């Protein structure tokens, strides 16, 4: 009999602001999901170098330790691993699944309008209108010319071609197992031709998360339900890169008293603000409602 696999979970904040009660909930959820026998990892998602700041990273360690969390060492910091993302990007590139996109946001909006839809109500993905595919079929000569001119570009996934290749690689539909939902069938085209890299930054969120979770052996990804649409794309990337699928558990988001999801700018519910106001770690853990959530 094979012994049950020990659970590996992670909390993966971006150091672009101070942690709030929603982050505390997510971190506690991940560590509880790992259980006493499992491993709980902390990952610093700092690929957005324009927004990531060392003081926010330091505050993440301080706030989580104050809350009573313990995590495995070493902590993976994404900006130290651009080489890993490049390897994955090249794997996709040789299979013809990536193309350079030179469109600015303004051009994308104009293109969507031209096609007869207002950008705000274009039928599209759950996160807004999908990229209309303008650069998907540029010929090689034109691509090279634009690159030689030094134009900025993003590297996008050709979602349709990618879905077909994944389909050829895998028998049956692409699925994952999700906490309370059970088996979910992925819709790999849900977010369209997502950005996987940029001229100036090797990796986007989608690519780096998939690569990191695989390299770190994460076998249970717990995260907020706002990231559910991304999981459809992540399953596709895992299939293309030959990674086994982790299990997922998308949890609820903490909201403020108006029922609005917490944002980094809502300072009153930052962990450091609560600490400075005299709350104890146990009181802040209580405020997240994590115990009720776990016990059902
Ligand atoms: N870094 C992401 C965030 O701060 C979370 C990544 C994930 O859980 O996949 O929202």
């Amino acid at each position: 009999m094979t012994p049950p696999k020990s659970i590996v979970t992670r909390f993966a904040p971006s150091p672009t602001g101070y942690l709030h009660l929603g982050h505390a909930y997510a971190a506690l959820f991940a560590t509880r999901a790992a259980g006493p026998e499992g491993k709980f990892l902390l990952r610093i998602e700092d690929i957005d170098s324009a927004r990531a700041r060392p003081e926010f990273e330091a505050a993440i360690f301080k706030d989580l330790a104050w809350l009573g969390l313990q995590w495995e060492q070493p902590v993976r910091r994404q900006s130290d691993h651009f080489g890993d993302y490049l390897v994955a990007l090249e794997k996709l590139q040789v299979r013809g699944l990536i193309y350079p996109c030179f469109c600015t946001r303004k051009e994308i909006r104009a293109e969507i309008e031209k096609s007869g839809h207002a950008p705000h109500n274009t039928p599209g993905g759950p996160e807004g209108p999908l990229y209309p595919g303008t650069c998907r079929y540029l010929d090689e000569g034109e691509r090279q010319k634009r690159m030689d001119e030094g134009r900025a570009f993003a590297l996008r996934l050709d979602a349709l071609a990618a879905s077909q290749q994944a389909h050829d690689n895998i028998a049956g539909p692409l699925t994952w197992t999700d906490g309370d939902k059970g088996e979910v069938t992925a819709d790999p085209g849900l977010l369209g031709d997502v950005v996987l890299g940029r001229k100036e930054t090797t990796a986007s969120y989608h690519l780096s998360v998939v690569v990191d979770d695989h390299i770190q052996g994460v076998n249970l990804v717990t995260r907020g339900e706002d990231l559910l649409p991304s999981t459809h794309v992540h399953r596709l990337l895992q299939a293309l890169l030959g990674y086994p699928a982790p299990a997922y558990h998308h949890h609820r988001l903490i909201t403020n008293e108006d029922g609005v999801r917490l944002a980094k700018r809502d300072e009153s519910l930052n962990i450091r603000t609560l600490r400075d106001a005299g709350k104890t770690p146990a009181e802040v853990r209580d405020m997240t409602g994590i115990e009720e959530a776990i016990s059902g």
Side-chain angles (χ1 to χ4, degrees):
M1 216 175 83
T2 38
K5 234 185 345 178
S6 129
I7 297 175
V8 184
T9 64
R10 47 55 163 198
F11 173 57
S14 300
T16 54
Y18 293 112
L19 299 186
H20 53 57
L21 219 49
H23 295 107
Y25 179 86
L28 288 162
F29 192 98
T31 180
R32 300 293 161 93
E37 309 294 324
K39 285 189 179 158
F40 167 64
L41 313 179
L42 172 62
R43 185 167 73 226
I44 302 295
E45 303 218 319
D46 63 344
I47 40 172
D48 184 354
S49 54
R51 292 173 60 224
R53 299 223 308 253
E55 62 268 34
F56 293 137
E57 183 180 309
I60 289 171
F61 296 131
K62 183 172 173 184
D63 290 348
L64 294 180
W66 179 79
L67 276 172
L69 275 88
Q70 287 178 330
W71 53 90
E72 303 288 321
Q73 297 294 340
V75 170
R76 184 173 169 98
R77 186 186 293 113
Q78 290 189 322
S79 59
D80 295 335
H81 296 278
F82 281 121
D84 291 332
Y85 312 135
L86 203 54
V87 170
L89 209 50
E90 277 166 6
K91 266 195 191 173
L92 299 173
Q93 200 143 26
V94 293
R95 292 165 66 176
L97 299 178
I98 302 249
Y99 64 89
C101 165
F102 303 90
C103 298
T104 60
R105 274 172 212 267
K106 208 169 141 195
E107 285 164 346
I108 295 174
R109 253 198 323 271
E111 188 65 29
I112 292 168
E113 269 164 22
K114 213 168 75 191
S115 69
H117 298 293
H120 55 276
N121 65 6
T122 300
E127 295 173 358
L130 302 184
Y131 174 65
T134 322
C135 289
R136 194 185 300 130
Y137 302 117
L138 283 183
D139 66 51
E140 237 358 275
E142 182 59 26
R143 281 181 181 159
Q144 203 48 56
K145 181 171 150 275
R146 293 185 188 193
M147 285 192 191
D148 293 345
E149 286 166 3
R151 286 178 55 176
F153 60 86
L155 291 167
R156 288 187 182 270
L157 179 71
D158 183 338
L160 190 62
S163 307
Q164 271 155 3
Q165 279 201 24
H167 192 69
D168 295 344
N169 287 356
I170 286 191
L174 208 52
T175 59
W176 77 83
T177 308
D178 201 317
D180 311 322
K181 299 185 191 63
E183 190 172 80
V184 179
T185 300
D187 174 359
L190 188 66
L191 299 183
D193 288 2
V194 290
V195 171
L196 295 186
R198 293 188 189 279
K199 183 184 170 193
E200 59 289 353
T201 323
T202 323
S204 70
Y205 160 69
H206 296 301
L207 185 73
S208 57
V209 156
V210 166
V211 170
D212 287 342
D213 284 336
H214 174 65
I215 288 180
Q216 295 191 283
V218 173
N219 54 24
L220 174 59
V221 174
T222 65
R223 59 184 179 197
E225 59 196 8
D226 55 325
L227 289 170
L228 184 58
S230 298
T231 303
H232 291 264
V233 181
H234 297 182
R235 263 310 279 127
L236 172 64
L237 293 175
Q238 287 152 2
L240 294 169
L241 292 166
Y243 301 162
Y248 285 85
H249 195 139
H250 293 88
H251 57 69
R252 71 178 178 94
L253 298 174
I254 302 269
T255 52
N256 65 17
E257 55 211 14
D258 303 323
V260 178
R261 175 187 160 194
L262 296 188
K264 284 184 174 154
R265 59 180 178 279
D266 296 334
E267 285 178 17
S268 63
L269 293 178
N270 279 348
I271 298 171
R272 68 202 294 269
T273 312
L274 296 167
R275 179 171 62 232
D276 292 347
K279 296 271 184 221
T280 65
E283 284 168 339
V284 174
R285 288 196 301 268
D286 255 13
M287 285 173 75
T288 65
I290 188 73
E291 293 310 334
E292 296 86 315
I294 299 279
S295 59

